C-alpha cells in the first residue's frame, strides 16, 4: 500500500505541479533529472518539479523531486526522490535513506530519502526500507543539494532500488544529477 501511495503522490506532483521550460527565466538551460540505471543513461526533461514544504503535524521538512520523460509518461519513465528532515534542507549535506526520521503525529520512523522509479516498461522500483536487524534489506539512497534557491534546486543523487516482492530485482542508480524548478 505504501508503494502505491508513493507512486500516486509522484504522479500527482509531476502531472499537476510542473512548470514548462519557458515559464521561468532560470530555465534557459532546461530543467532535468539525469542518472544511470544499471549503466544505462536516462534523462527526464519534459515534466520536472521540486516541492519543498514544512509539515507542522510531524515537525518535519519535506522535499519531493520529480521528473518524467514525457508528459504522458506518468505510467512509465518516472523518477521521484522523497526527502524528509527535522531541519530545513541545506547545501553540502548528504541526506541518506539509512537515517531514520521520527514523525511526531504518527510515531512512525521514515527514511530520510526514498526513491520511486517507473522504468521504461512501467515496472516499479523503490528504495524505501530502513535497515532492520535480522532482515536483508539493502535499499540505499542519497541526495546532496549543491544549490537551493526560491526558484530552483540543483544537486546529485544515487541509490540501490528494488522491484516488487518477492523477486525484488535490483536497480543500481548512479551518477544522478538534477536541476529542478521549485513549485
Amino acid at each position: 500500500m505504501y508503494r502505491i501511495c508513493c507512486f500516486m503522490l509522484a504522479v500527482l506532483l509531476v502531472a499537476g505541479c510542473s512548470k514548462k521550460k519557458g515559464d521561468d527565466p532560470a530555465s534557459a538551460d532546461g530543467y532535468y533529472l539525469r542518472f544511470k540505471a544499471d549503466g544505462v543513461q536516462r534523462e527526464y526533461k519534459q515534466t520536472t518539479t521540486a516541492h519543498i514544504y514544512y509539515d507542522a503535524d510531524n515537525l518535519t521538512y519535506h522535499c519531493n523531486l520529480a521528473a518524467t520523460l514525457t508528459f504522458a509518461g506518468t505510467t512509465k519513465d518516472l523518477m521521484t526522490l522523497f526527502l524528509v528532515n527535522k531541519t530545513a534542507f541545506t547545501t553540502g549535506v548528504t541526506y541518506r535513506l539509512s537515517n531514520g526520521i521520527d514523525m511526531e503525529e504518527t510515531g512512525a520512523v521514515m527514511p530520510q530519502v526514498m526513491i520511486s522509479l517507473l522504468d521504461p516498461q512501467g515496472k516499479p522500483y523503490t528504495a524505501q526500507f530502513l535497515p532492520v536487524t535480522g532482515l536483508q534489506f539493502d535499499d540505499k539512497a542519497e541526495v546532496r543539494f549543491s544549490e537551493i534557491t526560491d526558484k530552483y534546486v540543483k544537486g546529485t543523487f544515487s541509490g540501490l532500488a528494488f522491484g516488487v516482492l518477492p523477486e525484488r530485482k535490483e536497480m543500481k542508480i548512479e551518477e544522478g544529477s538534477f536541476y529542478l524548478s521549485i513549485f
Side-chain angles (χ1 to χ4, degrees), residues 72-153:
T74 54
T75 59
K76 62 182 181 177
D77 284 316
L78 167 71
M79 165 73 82
T80 305
L81 303 166
F82 301 97
L83 291 86
V84 62
N85 201 44
K86 285 293 186 180
T87 60
F89 296 102
T90 61
T91 60
V93 173
T94 301
Y95 300 96
R96 293 184 170 86
L97 180 147
S98 59
N99 296 336
I101 304 296
D102 295 321
M103 306 301 280
E104 291 292 322
E105 184 176 38
T106 63
V109 178
M110 298 292 294
Q112 191 174 45
V113 177
M114 293 178 281
I115 295 174
S116 289
L117 170 69
L118 291 174
D119 74 6
Q121 291 74 42
K123 292 181 183 174
Y125 291 85
T126 63
Q128 66 180 358
F129 293 117
L130 287 166
V132 177
T133 303
L135 296 176
Q136 184 65 30
F137 290 126
D138 295 330
D139 298 35
K140 292 180 179 58
E142 293 185 353
V143 173
R144 186 177 183 93
F145 294 100
S146 57
E147 292 183 56
I148 302 173
T149 74
D150 62 337
K151 296 192 186 304
Y152 66 88
V153 293

Side-chain angles (χ1 to χ4, degrees), residues 6 8 11 16 22 30 37 51 58 62 66 70 74 83 90 100 113 134 136 143 153 159 169 177:
C6 285
M8 293 295 287
V11 168
H51 186 116
N58 286 298
H62 295 252
T70 65
T74 54
L83 291 86
T90 61
V113 177
Q136 184 65 30
V143 173
V153 293
K169 183 180 177 221
S177 64

Side-chain angles (χ1 to χ4, degrees), residues 36-51:
K36 285 187 178 177
D38 285 340
V40 177
Q41 184 67 45
R42 297 201 183 147
E43 180 173 87
Y44 298 164
K45 294 178 74 167
Q46 180 63 37
T47 307
T48 62
T49 189
H51 186 116

